[in-house]
Amino acid sequence: MCANYGLDPRFSDQELVEEADDELMEGIRAWARRNADETVRPTGRLLRNLNPILVPSESRTPQLEEAWWGFLVDGRPSRFPSINTRSERLQERPGSLRGRAIVPATRWFEMQKPSKAWHEFGLDGALFGMAAVTQRGRAEDGSWFTCYSIVMQPAPPRLAGIHNRMPVLLPAAFAQDWLDGAATRELMDEALLASADVTRWVQSASMTAAP
């Protein structure tokens, strides 16, 4: 389960999507600067921390949007876990792939059990994209938001000893396919294959305190 992640404005690599332009990348950096050193956490009823995601656009250049992490149902955060969605569920029910996004990040955090030790995962400071599914949701005050859920997959053996799940990481060459492809099981299958190329570079490090 990915319940928090980070977006450092000092990221060293801009290979997020091949179609990214300078304005989009600067938008990501600007958000990261405003929220420097803040761990990105699920959005709540009281703390409306809207987070940057990349969504499709008619121009085929992804559009940056600030979105609600977790789904809203009947004006409230869903009672079922919705900040993450299993890749296996999307393979079985590809209709849930109708809305998709890419979540920019430079690291994510997981707690190892039973030791309760925290670990940080990343690509040596590089910016990367996590696959997400989206849907529209209405808050209690009537405001509408794009809501997102990060897609999780089984972790490879070298990382599974720390945590058995990890985000689906998208290489830049597959980013547009993820955003614009048809909502089919084949799309999820292809995303998992593409993610394997990025996952092999993931590094982990133990942390002295919770994020």
Side-chain angles (χ1 to χ4, degrees):
M1 178 179 182
C2 178
N4 41 49
Y5 61 92
L7 181 54
D8 191 323
R10 300 168 295 179
F11 54 80
S12 59
D13 191 349
Q14 297 188 4
E15 288 299 315
L16 185 64
V17 293
E18 290 185 336
E19 293 78 8
D21 56 24
D22 292 340
E23 182 179 355
L24 185 148
M25 299 310 299
E26 182 52 36
I28 294 173
R29 285 191 187 277
W31 186 95
R33 291 189 194 104
R34 293 196 306 271
N35 295 273
D37 300 322
E38 289 292 328
T39 299
V40 184
R41 303 182 188 280
T43 312
R45 293 172 60 191
L46 300 179
L47 182 63
R48 290 196 178 177
N49 50 303
L50 300 179
N51 310 314
I53 63 172
L54 276 61
V55 296
S57 72
E58 293 182 358
S59 67
R60 281 189 60 82
T61 299
Q63 179 179 331
L64 189 64
E65 182 176 343
E66 294 190 3
W68 186 296
W69 185 10
F71 292 149
L72 285 161
V73 178
D74 296 328
R76 297 172 178 268
S78 66
R79 294 183 179 180
F80 59 89
S82 65
I83 61 171
N84 298 150
T85 298
R86 287 176 173 262
S87 60
E88 299 93 327
R89 180 179 181 274
L90 296 173
Q91 288 173 310
E92 295 169 0
R93 302 177 182 177
S96 298
L97 287 166
R98 284 191 295 269
R100 297 183 299 276
I102 297 172
V103 180
T106 52
R107 58 193 183 276
W108 79 91
F109 310 100
E110 297 287 6
M111 186 176 69
Q112 186 177 20
K113 296 180 180 179
S115 66
K116 295 186 178 181
W118 282 93
H119 293 259
E120 176 182 326
F121 299 83
L123 298 171
D124 196 26
L127 183 69
F128 57 86
M130 301 185 288
V133 290
T134 65
Q135 63 183 42
R136 294 288 289 172
R138 178 181 56 81
E140 286 181 296
D141 63 3
S143 301
W144 284 88
F145 298 90
T146 297
C147 303
Y148 70 98
S149 177
I150 295 173
V151 182
M152 300 292 285
Q153 64 179 325
R158 69 182 185 88
L159 301 176
I162 300 173
H163 199 275
N164 65 346
R165 309 288 295 183
M166 65 168 288
V168 173
L169 308 181
L170 300 174
F174 189 76
Q176 202 65 49
D177 294 294
W178 175 255
L179 292 177
D180 293 338
T184 63
R185 174 173 181 142
E186 287 71 23
L187 177 65
M188 191 68 251
D189 292 344
E190 291 169 5
L192 292 171
L193 288 173
S195 180
D197 291 336
V198 185
T199 299
R200 63 195 179 101
W201 301 108
V202 170
Q203 302 169 351
S204 64
S206 58
M207 302 172 63
T208 57

